[in-house]
Amino acid sequence: MSIVYGPVPSWRLARSLGVDLTPGDVKTCSFDCIYCQLGRTARPLAERAQFVSLDALAAELEAVRGVGADYVTFSGMGEPTLAANLGEAIRLARATLGLPVAVLTNSSLMTRKDVREDLACADVVVAKLDAPSQQLFEKISRPVVDLSLRDIVEAISLFKAEHKGKLALEIMFVRANKGLAAEMAALARRLAPDEVQINTPLRPCAVTPLSPETLAAVREHFQGLPHVRTVYEGSRPEATPIDLKETRRRRPGASAPRQRNHRTGKE
Ligand code: SF4
């Protein structure tokens, strides 16, 4: 398996079976976020391309038919909207596995009509937005080419108006933006997402996560918005990865399945 990984326990998507349309040894992304669990962006890219064929994806999806999962989630070693065949891949995954499909995107390419059309094929789009100003956007997300935060916000808003599926807004709070929760909440109100996911980097990375108390204080600013939750509030169901090595490349620290003691029946 090199495209499909997991399933992994997710605080927002339960048992999440991953599809990585930018597989490889290094991260392919339009951002170089200061908190990225995959390290620095070794393959910076802001143009779409095809990285895997639909035939290769179809073969891997066939091999995991019947696996216990709640969502197929497009994520992995980079930004999924960079894949020019994202829309077809979403339709293929849903048709093969009969599961709802989610895409985790950094929102950078949503200014493109073809990207919004591809994302509209998904049942759930989780769009990331970490900063209320261009200056902080460049400091936290570190886009690999010149990108306008204002254009990205407009694009998310346009997508929300066009798209009938669920739009979740994910905000990663770190030391650099924790004092701007009110401004982020104002942005969220403008975008009117179906859900707000307040995150902080709990997986190993170069940035220290905020405490549960700090994130709870951040959350207060989002009162009145629908379905607001923090990463500390999410529950994670058990999930057994098909291939632990491939899963850990995308999810450093993913757990091995617990071993059951066959004599006592306990884990
Ligand atoms: S958008 Fe995601 S994959 Fe890309 S650098 Fe940021 S956290 Fe890493």
Side-chain angles (χ1 to χ4, degrees):
M1 295 270 164
S2 63
I3 306 168
V4 177
Y5 64 97
V8 291
S10 164
W11 66 282
R12 45 199 174 174
L13 295 164
R15 295 170 304 165
S16 165
L17 182 70
V19 173
D20 184 356
L21 294 183
T22 57
D25 293 336
V26 297
K27 178 179 49 164
T28 305
C29 196
S30 48
F31 283 179
D32 188 15
C33 302
I34 56 171
Y35 55 77
C36 186
Q37 61 178 343
L38 303 172
R40 299 302 304 262
T41 300
R43 197 173 175 200
L45 196 67
E47 289 299 323
R48 303 189 91 189
Q50 184 172 309
F51 307 91
V52 300
S53 72
L54 291 178
D55 286 346
L57 175 60
E60 292 203 17
L61 290 171
E62 280 298 334
V64 296
R65 259 187 203 273
V67 73
D70 301 295
Y71 276 92
V72 177
T73 305
F74 284 72
S75 182
M77 290 295 289
E79 168 53 33
T81 61
L82 285 169
N85 53 1
L86 174 64
E88 293 164 291
I90 290 170
R91 285 192 287 271
L92 177 62
R94 187 189 293 110
T96 308
L97 301 178
L99 292 170
V101 175
V103 181
L104 310 186
T105 177
N106 65 16
S107 317
S108 62
L109 274 71
M110 288 177 77
T111 48
R112 294 178 57 129
K113 187 166 183 280
D114 59 340
V115 168
R116 294 196 302 277
E117 285 171 354
D118 281 0
L119 287 173
C121 300
D123 300 279
V124 181
V125 171
V126 180
K128 182 206 296 283
L129 202 58
D130 292 341
S133 70
Q134 181 73 25
Q135 190 186 22
L136 198 57
F137 167 59
E138 288 173 12
K139 185 175 170 188
I140 295 176
S141 306
R142 299 190 296 200
V144 301
V145 294
D146 282 345
L147 290 173
S148 156
L149 176 68
R150 181 182 300 196
D151 289 350
I152 291 173
V153 171
E154 286 306 318
I156 298 173
S157 178
L158 188 56
F159 178 73
K160 175 72 172 82
E162 294 167 346
H163 178 48
K164 291 190 177 51
K166 179 173 159 183
L167 174 71
L169 188 67
E170 179 193 14
I171 306 166
M172 187 70 87
F173 278 98
V174 291
R175 202 175 59 172
N177 62 354
K178 72 175 182 182
L180 295 165
E183 286 83 348
M184 290 307 303
L187 254 186
R189 286 195 177 87
R190 192 174 140 205
L191 293 171
D194 301 294
E195 183 177 314
V196 179
Q197 301 171 355
I198 297 176
N199 209 345
T200 196
L202 296 183
R203 299 185 199 132
C205 70
V207 168
T208 308
L210 302 182
S211 67
E213 295 73 29
T214 304
L215 224 53
V218 163
R219 189 190 196 289
E220 288 295 304
H221 292 276
F222 290 81
Q223 275 187 12
L225 281 157
H227 303 288
V228 179
R229 54 187 169 150
T230 76
V231 64
Y232 288 117
E233 296 166 303
S235 62
R236 293 169 181 74
E238 289 220 353
T240 305
I242 310 151
D243 182 332
L244 195 56
K245 187 165 157 251
E246 284 296 323
T247 301
R248 279 187 172 154
R249 286 180 53 226
R250 283 88 171 189
R251 271 283 200 108
S255 310
R258 288 190 199 164
Q259 295 297 310
R260 188 173 288 275
N261 182 319
H262 294 291
R263 193 168 52 79
T264 64
K266 292 183 178 160
E267 289 172 338

